[in-house]
Amino acid sequence: MKATGIVRRIDDLGRIVIPKEIRRTLRIRERDALEIFTDRDGEVILKKYSPIADLEDFAQEYADSLFESTGHISLIMDRDTYIAAAGTSKKLFLGKSVVDEVSDLMEERRSWNSAQANRKLPIPGFEDANQLLVPIIHEGDVVGAVALLSKDKPLADLEHTLCQTAADFLAKQLG
């Protein structure tokens, strides 16, 4: 564990403030859920909670199915990290951070298509590909996104419908 030298007191309601610098570094935003762990030494560990990461195996199966049915690279991500990839090297994506521009698009809560937007996202290795991104929304909160990437074919209404179906289905799996 890395010491920060920052000390905070717990208030009379049991709250503690996480300094802005730490929140920014760890990409913790207002209303983000944090999971609380304790160890035998009495240490309390806070970890950013990702409900969609609990569906990692299921998300991978869905990504594989999307790739098999469309022939396009498919990615499933939570708000910060890629959790499933199909049609490309998993090492290139799995566990890697999602760039801020993609996170910002998710927060807009609407589908995004590079052809319609007339610009591309800086997705590693696919900066010049046709890109489609559909946010996964659960209980009013953006929890992730489903993306399709194609280096040779434009992504049209069929692909959008498939991504939207995947996003809706994954959101329902969260309970």
Side-chain angles (χ1 to χ4, degrees):
M1 228 180 333
K2 183 178 168 184
T4 63
I6 300 170
V7 176
R8 293 287 191 254
R9 294 201 185 280
I10 296 175
D11 71 11
D12 55 342
L13 295 176
R15 298 175 298 197
I16 186 168
V17 174
I18 300 171
K20 189 175 194 173
E21 301 80 30
I22 292 174
R23 291 193 320 263
R24 187 179 308 126
T25 301
L26 299 177
R27 299 174 73 171
I28 297 171
R29 301 175 200 73
E30 280 184 28
R31 299 183 40 82
D32 276 353
L34 298 177
E35 197 167 7
I36 303 169
F37 298 90
T38 59
D39 67 12
R40 291 183 181 153
D41 298 330
E43 292 180 336
V44 176
I45 301 161
L46 300 175
K47 182 180 176 191
K48 192 169 177 181
Y49 176 69
S50 169
I52 199 155
D54 292 341
L55 299 176
E56 193 172 322
D57 292 338
F58 189 71
Q60 184 59 56
E61 288 179 27
Y62 212 114
D64 291 338
S65 293
L66 273 174
F67 172 68
E68 289 170 17
S69 62
T70 66
H72 302 305
I73 292 154
S74 62
L75 303 171
I76 298 175
M77 61 202 84
D78 64 17
R79 290 173 51 193
D80 300 304
T81 310
Y82 292 98
I83 62 167
T88 186
S89 168
K90 288 183 170 78
K91 289 180 185 176
L92 186 61
F93 290 101
L94 295 187
K96 301 285 187 342
S97 293
V98 172
V99 295
D100 289 339
E101 196 172 345
V102 172
S103 294
D104 293 344
L105 276 175
M106 283 184 227
E107 293 300 323
E108 291 181 14
R109 300 169 176 270
R110 57 187 167 89
S111 300
W112 183 88
N113 187 323
S114 61
Q116 293 169 349
N118 205 20
R119 68 182 175 104
K120 308 285 181 160
L121 297 172
I123 297 174
F126 296 92
E127 295 86 351
D128 294 328
N130 294 303
Q131 305 162 338
L132 177 64
L133 183 83
V134 176
I136 301 168
I137 301 173
H138 175 66
E139 295 180 352
D141 294 325
V142 175
V143 295
V146 176
L148 285 180
L149 310 173
S150 175
K151 287 195 174 187
D152 54 355
K153 298 178 188 173
L155 300 167
D157 290 342
L158 173 63
E159 288 85 2
H160 178 264
T161 301
L162 290 170
C163 276
Q164 186 65 59
T165 301
D168 292 345
F169 189 76
L170 288 165
K172 284 185 172 80
Q173 299 309 304
L174 296 171

PDB file of all heavy atoms in Angstrom, residues 6 8 17-30:
ATOM      1  N   ILE A   6      -1.931  11.948   3.859  1.00  0.00           N
ATOM      2  CA  ILE A   6      -3.173  12.691   4.106  1.00  0.00           C
ATOM      3  C   ILE A   6      -3.929  12.009   5.238  1.00  0.00           C
ATOM      4  O   ILE A   6      -4.099  10.797   5.247  1.00  0.00           O
ATOM      5  CB  ILE A   6      -4.049  12.722   2.833  1.00  0.00           C
ATOM      6  CG1 ILE A   6      -3.291  13.413   1.699  1.00  0.00           C
ATOM      7  CG2 ILE A   6      -5.378  13.411   3.115  1.00  0.00           C
ATOM      8  CD1 ILE A   6      -3.963  13.287   0.343  1.00  0.00           C
ATOM      9  N   ARG A   8      -7.557  12.230   7.520  1.00  0.00           N
ATOM     10  CA  ARG A   8      -8.906  12.794   7.610  1.00  0.00           C
ATOM     11  C   ARG A   8      -9.602  12.222   8.834  1.00  0.00           C
ATOM     12  O   ARG A   8      -9.403  11.062   9.190  1.00  0.00           O
ATOM     13  CB  ARG A   8      -9.737  12.430   6.362  1.00  0.00           C
ATOM     14  CG  ARG A   8      -9.255  13.067   5.092  1.00  0.00           C
ATOM     15  CD  ARG A   8      -9.590  14.559   5.095  1.00  0.00           C
ATOM     16  NE  ARG A   8      -9.391  15.168   3.803  1.00  0.00           N
ATOM     17  CZ  ARG A   8      -8.387  15.963   3.498  1.00  0.00           C
ATOM     18  NH1 ARG A   8      -7.458  16.210   4.383  1.00  0.00           N
ATOM     19  NH2 ARG A   8      -8.292  16.491   2.315  1.00  0.00           N
ATOM     20  N   VAL A  17     -14.060  12.298   4.155  1.00  0.00           N
ATOM     21  CA  VAL A  17     -13.887  12.935   2.849  1.00  0.00           C
ATOM     22  C   VAL A  17     -12.655  12.341   2.172  1.00  0.00           C
ATOM     23  O   VAL A  17     -11.577  12.297   2.753  1.00  0.00           O
ATOM     24  CB  VAL A  17     -13.734  14.465   3.003  1.00  0.00           C
ATOM     25  CG1 VAL A  17     -13.413  15.118   1.664  1.00  0.00           C
ATOM     26  CG2 VAL A  17     -14.986  15.059   3.611  1.00  0.00           C
ATOM     27  N   ILE A  18     -12.849  11.915   0.934  1.00  0.00           N
ATOM     28  CA  ILE A  18     -11.718  11.451   0.122  1.00  0.00           C
ATOM     29  C   ILE A  18     -11.230  12.676  -0.652  1.00  0.00           C
ATOM     30  O   ILE A  18     -12.002  13.285  -1.402  1.00  0.00           O
ATOM     31  CB  ILE A  18     -12.132  10.321  -0.832  1.00  0.00           C
ATOM     32  CG1 ILE A  18     -12.666   9.130  -0.031  1.00  0.00           C
ATOM     33  CG2 ILE A  18     -10.958   9.915  -1.714  1.00  0.00           C
ATOM     34  CD1 ILE A  18     -13.302   8.054  -0.871  1.00  0.00           C
ATOM     35  N   PRO A  19      -9.968  13.068  -0.465  1.00  0.00           N
ATOM     36  CA  PRO A  19      -9.457  14.286  -1.106  1.00  0.00           C
ATOM     37  C   PRO A  19      -9.629  14.282  -2.621  1.00  0.00           C
ATOM     38  O   PRO A  19      -9.548  13.226  -3.275  1.00  0.00           O
ATOM     39  CB  PRO A  19      -7.976  14.289  -0.732  1.00  0.00           C
ATOM     40  CG  PRO A  19      -7.901  13.462   0.508  1.00  0.00           C
ATOM     41  CD  PRO A  19      -8.966  12.405   0.356  1.00  0.00           C
ATOM     42  N   LYS A  20      -9.865  15.462  -3.161  1.00  0.00           N
ATOM     43  CA  LYS A  20     -10.103  15.645  -4.586  1.00  0.00           C
ATOM     44  C   LYS A  20      -8.967  15.074  -5.442  1.00  0.00           C
ATOM     45  O   LYS A  20      -9.204  14.456  -6.471  1.00  0.00           O
ATOM     46  CB  LYS A  20     -10.282  17.141  -4.873  1.00  0.00           C
ATOM     47  CG  LYS A  20     -10.745  17.453  -6.258  1.00  0.00           C
ATOM     48  CD  LYS A  20     -10.992  18.948  -6.382  1.00  0.00           C
ATOM     49  CE  LYS A  20     -11.780  19.274  -7.620  1.00  0.00           C
ATOM     50  NZ  LYS A  20     -12.169  20.694  -7.646  1.00  0.00           N
ATOM     51  N   GLU A  21      -7.724  15.270  -5.000  1.00  0.00           N
ATOM     52  CA  GLU A  21      -6.572  14.783  -5.770  1.00  0.00           C
ATOM     53  C   GLU A  21      -6.624  13.259  -5.914  1.00  0.00           C
ATOM     54  O   GLU A  21      -6.314  12.713  -6.967  1.00  0.00           O
ATOM     55  CB  GLU A  21      -5.252  15.183  -5.099  1.00  0.00           C
ATOM     56  CG  GLU A  21      -5.058  16.665  -4.913  1.00  0.00           C
ATOM     57  CD  GLU A  21      -5.797  17.219  -3.699  1.00  0.00           C
ATOM     58  OE1 GLU A  21      -5.991  16.499  -2.694  1.00  0.00           O
ATOM     59  OE2 GLU A  21      -6.219  18.387  -3.760  1.00  0.00           O
ATOM     60  N   ILE A  22      -6.997  12.577  -4.841  1.00  0.00           N
ATOM     61  CA  ILE A  22      -7.080  11.106  -4.883  1.00  0.00           C
ATOM     62  C   ILE A  22      -8.257  10.681  -5.754  1.00  0.00           C
ATOM     63  O   ILE A  22      -8.142   9.758  -6.564  1.00  0.00           O
ATOM     64  CB  ILE A  22      -7.188  10.521  -3.458  1.00  0.00           C
ATOM     65  CG1 ILE A  22      -5.864  10.757  -2.723  1.00  0.00           C
ATOM     66  CG2 ILE A  22      -7.540   9.036  -3.489  1.00  0.00           C
ATOM     67  CD1 ILE A  22      -5.879  10.351  -1.266  1.00  0.00           C
ATOM     68  N   ARG A  23      -9.399  11.360  -5.612  1.00  0.00           N
ATOM     69  CA  ARG A  23     -10.568  11.027  -6.441  1.00  0.00           C
ATOM     70  C   ARG A  23     -10.237  11.207  -7.916  1.00  0.00           C
ATOM     71  O   ARG A  23     -10.601  10.376  -8.746  1.00  0.00           O
ATOM     72  CB  ARG A  23     -11.771  11.889  -6.049  1.00  0.00           C
ATOM     73  CG  ARG A  23     -12.321  11.565  -4.685  1.00  0.00           C
ATOM     74  CD  ARG A  23     -13.688  12.198  -4.435  1.00  0.00           C
ATOM     75  NE  ARG A  23     -13.855  13.536  -4.924  1.00  0.00           N
ATOM     76  CZ  ARG A  23     -13.716  14.647  -4.199  1.00  0.00           C
ATOM     77  NH1 ARG A  23     -13.397  14.566  -2.919  1.00  0.00           N
ATOM     78  NH2 ARG A  23     -13.917  15.832  -4.740  1.00  0.00           N
ATOM     79  N   ARG A  24      -9.546  12.281  -8.254  1.00  0.00           N
ATOM     80  CA  ARG A  24      -9.192  12.533  -9.644  1.00  0.00           C
ATOM     81  C   ARG A  24      -8.234  11.455 -10.156  1.00  0.00           C
ATOM     82  O   ARG A  24      -8.423  10.913 -11.245  1.00  0.00           O
ATOM     83  CB  ARG A  24      -8.554  13.920  -9.793  1.00  0.00           C
ATOM     84  CG  ARG A  24      -8.320  14.301 -11.243  1.00  0.00           C
ATOM     85  CD  ARG A  24      -7.718  15.692 -11.414  1.00  0.00           C
ATOM     86  NE  ARG A  24      -8.467  16.715 -10.710  1.00  0.00           N
ATOM     87  CZ  ARG A  24      -7.928  17.554  -9.835  1.00  0.00           C
ATOM     88  NH1 ARG A  24      -6.648  17.504  -9.538  1.00  0.00           N
ATOM     89  NH2 ARG A  24      -8.667  18.481  -9.244  1.00  0.00           N
ATOM     90  N   THR A  25      -7.221  11.136  -9.381  1.00  0.00           N
ATOM     91  CA  THR A  25      -6.240  10.122  -9.784  1.00  0.00           C
ATOM     92  C   THR A  25      -6.881   8.758 -10.002  1.00  0.00           C
ATOM     93  O   THR A  25      -6.561   8.049 -10.955  1.00  0.00           O
ATOM     94  CB  THR A  25      -5.132   9.995  -8.710  1.00  0.00           C
ATOM     95  OG1 THR A  25      -4.508  11.270  -8.556  1.00  0.00           O
ATOM     96  CG2 THR A  25      -4.095   8.966  -9.095  1.00  0.00           C
ATOM     97  N   LEU A  26      -7.814   8.388  -9.127  1.00  0.00           N
ATOM     98  CA  LEU A  26      -8.466   7.080  -9.203  1.00  0.00           C
ATOM     99  C   LEU A  26      -9.755   7.100 -10.022  1.00  0.00           C
ATOM    100  O   LEU A  26     -10.462   6.097 -10.080  1.00  0.00           O
ATOM    101  CB  LEU A  26      -8.750   6.557  -7.786  1.00  0.00           C
ATOM    102  CG  LEU A  26      -7.517   6.355  -6.916  1.00  0.00           C
ATOM    103  CD1 LEU A  26      -7.917   5.905  -5.516  1.00  0.00           C
ATOM    104  CD2 LEU A  26      -6.569   5.343  -7.547  1.00  0.00           C
ATOM    105  N   ARG A  27     -10.050   8.248 -10.628  1.00  0.00           N
ATOM    106  CA  ARG A  27     -11.241   8.415 -11.468  1.00  0.00           C
ATOM    107  C   ARG A  27     -12.521   8.094 -10.698  1.00  0.00           C
ATOM    108  O   ARG A  27     -13.414   7.443 -11.196  1.00  0.00           O
ATOM    109  CB  ARG A  27     -11.132   7.567 -12.730  1.00  0.00           C
ATOM    110  CG  ARG A  27      -9.945   7.965 -13.594  1.00  0.00           C
ATOM    111  CD  ARG A  27      -9.745   7.063 -14.752  1.00  0.00           C
ATOM    112  NE  ARG A  27     -10.786   7.321 -15.757  1.00  0.00           N
ATOM    113  CZ  ARG A  27     -10.770   6.804 -16.956  1.00  0.00           C
ATOM    114  NH1 ARG A  27      -9.803   5.997 -17.313  1.00  0.00           N
ATOM    115  NH2 ARG A  27     -11.730   7.064 -17.819  1.00  0.00           N
ATOM    116  N   ILE A  28     -12.599   8.566  -9.472  1.00  0.00           N
ATOM    117  CA  ILE A  28     -13.798   8.387  -8.657  1.00  0.00           C
ATOM    118  C   ILE A  28     -14.623   9.669  -8.789  1.00  0.00           C
ATOM    119  O   ILE A  28     -14.146  10.760  -8.510  1.00  0.00           O
ATOM    120  CB  ILE A  28     -13.442   8.129  -7.178  1.00  0.00           C
ATOM    121  CG1 ILE A  28     -12.651   6.825  -7.048  1.00  0.00           C
ATOM    122  CG2 ILE A  28     -14.701   8.096  -6.315  1.00  0.00           C
ATOM    123  CD1 ILE A  28     -12.067   6.586  -5.665  1.00  0.00           C
ATOM    124  N   ARG A  29     -15.862   9.503  -9.256  1.00  0.00           N
ATOM    125  CA  ARG A  29     -16.739  10.653  -9.459  1.00  0.00           C
ATOM    126  C   ARG A  29     -17.835  10.681  -8.392  1.00  0.00           C
ATOM    127  O   ARG A  29     -18.073   9.692  -7.707  1.00  0.00           O
ATOM    128  CB  ARG A  29     -17.404  10.558 -10.829  1.00  0.00           C
ATOM    129  CG  ARG A  29     -16.435  10.509 -12.011  1.00  0.00           C
ATOM    130  CD  ARG A  29     -17.238  10.301 -13.290  1.00  0.00           C
ATOM    131  NE  ARG A  29     -16.539   9.805 -14.432  1.00  0.00           N
ATOM    132  CZ  ARG A  29     -16.093   8.567 -14.617  1.00  0.00           C
ATOM    133  NH1 ARG A  29     -16.224   7.660 -13.701  1.00  0.00           N
ATOM    134  NH2 ARG A  29     -15.502   8.220 -15.733  1.00  0.00           N
ATOM    135  N   GLU A  30     -18.530  11.803  -8.312  1.00  0.00           N
ATOM    136  CA  GLU A  30     -19.688  11.888  -7.419  1.00  0.00           C
ATOM    137  C   GLU A  30     -20.649  10.759  -7.758  1.00  0.00           C
ATOM    138  O   GLU A  30     -20.845  10.438  -8.925  1.00  0.00           O
ATOM    139  CB  GLU A  30     -20.418  13.225  -7.617  1.00  0.00           C
ATOM    140  CG  GLU A  30     -19.779  14.381  -6.921  1.00  0.00           C
ATOM    141  CD  GLU A  30     -20.612  15.644  -7.090  1.00  0.00           C
ATOM    142  OE1 GLU A  30     -21.843  15.541  -7.243  1.00  0.00           O
ATOM    143  OE2 GLU A  30     -20.000  16.718  -7.074  1.00  0.00           O
TER     144      GLU A  30
END
